[in-house]
Amino acid sequence: MHIAGATVLLTGVTGGIGGAIAAEMAARGARLILTGRRREALEPLADRYGARTILADLADADDVLRLTEEAAGTDILVANAALPSSGDLLDYTPAQIDRALAVNLRAPAVLARMLAPGMVDRGRGHVCFVGSLSGMAATRSSSLYNATKFGLRGLSLAFRQDLHGTGVGVSIVQPGFVRELGMFADTGSATPGGVRTVSPRQVVKGVTRAIERDVAEINVAPLELRLLTRIASQFPGFAERVQRRAGAEKTMDAIVAAQRTAR
Ligand SMILES: NC(=O)c1ccc[n+]([C@@H]2O[C@H](COP(=O)([O-])OP(=O)(O)OC[C@H]3O[C@@H](n4cnc5c(N)ncnc54)[C@H](OP(=O)(O)O)[C@@H]3O)[C@@H](O)[C@H]2O)c1
């Protein structure tokens, strides 16, 4: 799918990675529709990229539906917005659980469901979900984030098969820990176990490659983390013991504390 000239709907543009994706899409000549829940953060981006903006809270089902109507004609959906959803499940209220599921999983599913038929009619389009390696390997204090990102991976890989032969591709891009900007960098914490990070640029490259070459899944992380994730996805009991021995609890607790207000 060519990005130049395509209408691209991007969620989570007021965040770290979303901002980087918007800059790259604009540089490649996409017609951008930027969506977010904060008008004051969206408007400067609209000016910078000559983009249309649609204000929407992805935790609100009515807002999500209105967004799909206002963004009809989208050629490429980049479903990037998410909540960090870190911390023990036992620390979450039912309303916070609903919000995590709504923003991280329900909204991407509804956006894809409502925007893909137009793409199919036109015989061209792409849906790119931004997941996480947390969609393949479970870690302590991440049950809701793991749940939504595992779910997003299933949604993406199966929806891709449903749309096979229609001219519409579906991809999931799964980063590891991203440095410099975004929900992990914002915590100011080291990585658990000292694992290496990736740059925002590498994630953006993953997204553009997924769209242009219609790749099912792209994992953006250092080789050792990609391998450990594969092993963890096959042998979760073993991975759990390895993680405990690595003694990453303190780092994980610091990340959870820093992300506590974003539930
Ligand atoms: N950063 C990492 O290390 C990392 C690693 C793996 C995967 N990822 C994934 O990369 C994607 C982008 O993450 P990021 O690091 O850029 O995070 P971020 O800086 O926290 O940005 C998250 C974005 O989601 C938006 N959002 C949250 N709740 C929303 C709601 N109810 N309605 C509308 N928008 C909402 C935020 O809007 P506000 O600005 O209004 O809060 C923000 O624009 C996510 O899917 C994340 O899971 C990130």
Side-chain angles (χ1 to χ4, degrees), residues 109-184:
V110 173
L111 290 172
R113 159 67 185 90
M114 301 308 282
L115 293 172
M119 300 178 198
V120 171
D121 284 349
R122 294 187 293 278
R124 57 189 276 277
H126 201 92
V127 176
C128 180
F129 297 104
V130 179
S132 164
L133 286 189
S134 296
M136 298 176 72
T139 46
R140 187 181 154 260
S141 295
S142 307
S143 51
L144 282 171
Y145 192 61
N146 282 140
T148 57
K149 294 299 185 180
F150 269 65
L152 198 63
R153 181 170 189 254
L155 174 79
S156 181
L157 297 179
F159 190 44
R160 175 182 173 84
Q161 295 189 30
D162 294 346
L163 292 189
H164 180 75
T166 64
V168 181
V170 182
S171 307
I172 187 158
V173 175
Q174 303 184 129
F177 292 96
V178 180
R179 60 178 171 268
E180 293 163 28
L181 44 81
M183 60 173 68
F184 164 69

Side-chain angles (χ1 to χ4, degrees), residues 3 22 27 33 48 53 59-61 70 72 79 83 90 107 116 126 128 140 146 154 157 162 170 177 182 192 203 221:
I3 292 171
I33 306 176
R48 188 179 310 159
T53 57
D60 181 322
E70 291 185 21
L83 289 168
L90 296 183
H126 201 92
C128 180
R140 187 181 154 260
N146 282 140
L157 297 179
D162 294 346
V170 182
F177 292 96
V203 180

Side-chain angles (χ1 to χ4, degrees), residues 79-105:
N80 160 74
L83 289 168
S85 307
S86 59
D88 290 9
L89 183 61
L90 296 183
D91 284 342
Y92 269 72
T93 64
Q96 288 172 333
I97 293 174
D98 285 346
R99 196 154 43 241
L101 297 175
V103 175
N104 292 14
L105 186 55

Side-chain angles (χ1 to χ4, degrees), residues 12 14-17 37-38 57-58 80 82 131 145 149 175-176 178 182-183:
T14 56
I17 293 171
R37 57 182 166 169
R38 293 182 295 124
D57 180 348
L58 298 178
N80 160 74
Y145 192 61
K149 294 299 185 180
V178 180
M183 60 173 68

Side-chain angles (χ1 to χ4, degrees), residues 22-54:
E24 180 66 18
M25 292 289 172
R28 285 169 180 254
R31 281 195 300 263
L32 280 175
I33 306 176
L34 306 178
T35 181
R37 57 182 166 169
R38 293 182 295 124
R39 187 187 299 280
E40 74 285 1
L42 262 188
E43 275 172 2
L45 296 171
D47 292 345
R48 188 179 310 159
Y49 301 124
R52 250 182 82 199
T53 57
I54 302 173

